[in-house]
Amino acid sequence: MKKILKNSVAAAILLSSTISMANGPAKVISKKGIAKNEVEKNIISLDSDPTFKRKGDRVLVNFLNLTEGKVVLKVIDSEGRIIFKENIEGALIVEKAFDFSKAYSNEYTVIVVDKLGTYKERIQIR
C-alpha cells in the first residue's frame, strides 16, 4: 500500500511539472515580434510575409498576422493616389480580394503594412 502511495505521489509530481513546462509563458511573441525562447523561434520561423496571388483581373492577399496588431491594406495607382485603404486590428489571418476588372489601364501597388514591416506587390492592368 505504501509503495502504491509513493508511486502515485511521484507520478503526480512528474505530471504537474510536465504540464507547467508545456504551458510555457502566456505570451508567445514579445512586443517587437521577437521570439523569447527556442520553441518560439521555431514557431516564428514560419514565413509570415503576405502572399499575393493573381487570378485574371483579381489579386488575392493572404497575411498571417502573428502579432495580431494593426494591419493596413492599401491600393495606390502610379501617380500615388490612394484607391483603397482599410485598417484591420486584432485579426490573426488577414484575407482580401481586389477586383481590377473595371480598373483603368495603369500600374497599381497593393501594400500591406503591419508592426513588423511593409510589403508591396505591383500589378500592371492593361
Side-chain angles (χ1 to χ4, degrees):
M1 191 70 173
K2 287 185 181 182
K3 190 172 185 177
I4 293 172
L5 181 61
K6 191 184 222 184
N7 288 340
S8 297
V9 170
I13 291 171
L14 286 173
L15 181 62
S16 65
S17 64
T18 304
I19 290 172
S20 66
M21 286 183 177
N23 287 338
K27 196 168 192 178
V28 175
I29 302 171
S30 68
K31 289 184 180 180
K32 294 182 180 179
I34 300 169
K36 293 187 270 179
N37 64 38
E38 194 63 34
V39 173
E40 292 171 4
K41 287 180 184 175
N42 291 337
I43 292 171
I44 294 177
S45 69
L46 295 171
D47 184 21
S48 64
D49 291 352
T51 58
F52 300 91
K53 188 171 187 177
R54 187 164 180 180
K55 288 188 173 184
D57 288 336
R58 293 178 42 175
V59 175
L60 307 172
V61 178
N62 290 309
F63 178 59
L64 178 61
N65 182 16
L66 292 174
T67 62
E68 294 188 33
K70 181 178 177 182
V71 176
V72 179
L73 296 171
K74 287 185 196 176
V75 177
I76 59 172
D77 65 5
S78 61
E79 295 179 19
R81 295 178 290 204
I82 297 175
I83 308 300
F84 174 85
K85 181 177 180 181
E86 181 178 0
N87 296 324
I88 301 170
E89 291 197 41
L92 179 62
I93 298 173
V94 177
E95 297 177 305
K96 190 72 176 176
F98 296 100
D99 186 6
F100 288 96
S101 62
K102 296 180 183 176
Y104 293 109
S105 295
N106 202 339
E107 181 177 272
Y108 297 92
T109 305
V110 178
I111 303 170
V112 177
V113 180
D114 77 331
K115 185 191 289 190
L116 303 176
T118 301
Y119 312 94
K120 299 178 182 180
E121 181 76 14
R122 297 189 192 284
I123 311 314
Q124 187 73 32
I125 301 296
R126 296 181 184 188

